[in-house]
Amino acid sequence: MKSIIGIAVLVTVLQVAQCQNIRELTACIHNQNLRLDCRYDNKTNNPLSYEFRMTKDTRAMRTVAGNIGVPDSHFRNRANVTLHRNLLYLHVYGFTAADEGIYECYVKITSDLTGAQTRNVTVAKDKLVKCAGISVLIQNTSWLLLLLLSLPLLQAVDFVSL
């Protein structure tokens, strides 16, 4: 009986410990503006603290935007963060080569046992992909659902006949 109670407590602790996790950090460019998408898991309703940071070469980490620290003066009027479900969007307007570097997404959920989570991505202007509506659809939707949704369109142009 004691072993069953011990296992139940262990499973409960492990489930709570997996409340947050940054799944993915991607970067793209749209009309000379940088967009970073930071996808994370959150299985609680606890408040979220977040911040995007950037470093270039060996310089110190600079805050780009978020709800923790004060943004660096270089980004203060050029960057903002939008929070939608389990996704943080960072927009840096007027992105130039001076803004290239390693960007970090930092996420901390209050009272979460796992502590803060971070994920990095290297951003170089000439290597960024263009942001597009279809790429957002592909990133957020399973391939099977995307295929099922595209079948009527393919039938309409006689590409597929069922």
Side-chain angles (χ1 to χ4, degrees), residues 4 7 13 18 27 30-31 34-35 46 52 94 107 124 127 130 137-138 143 150 156 158:
I4 293 174
I7 291 172
V13 168
Q18 294 298 320
H30 178 68
N31 294 336
L34 173 68
R35 188 182 86 203
N46 295 342
F52 284 93
V107 175
K127 295 182 181 173
K130 292 193 183 278
L137 180 65
I138 290 171
W143 282 101
S150 63
D158 287 334

Side-chain angles (χ1 to χ4, degrees), residues 34 74 141:
L34 173 68
H74 181 73
T141 308

Side-chain angles (χ1 to χ4, degrees), residues 135-146:
S135 67
V136 171
L137 180 65
I138 290 171
Q139 289 175 4
N140 291 331
T141 308
S142 71
W143 282 101
L144 180 59
L145 182 58
L146 184 62

Side-chain angles (χ1 to χ4, degrees), residues 37-54:
D37 298 348
C38 182
R39 297 180 198 295
Y40 63 94
D41 294 323
N42 182 6
K43 297 180 177 97
T44 70
N45 292 324
N46 295 342
L48 176 70
S49 298
Y50 57 88
E51 189 170 69
F52 284 93
R53 303 169 180 159
M54 183 269 220

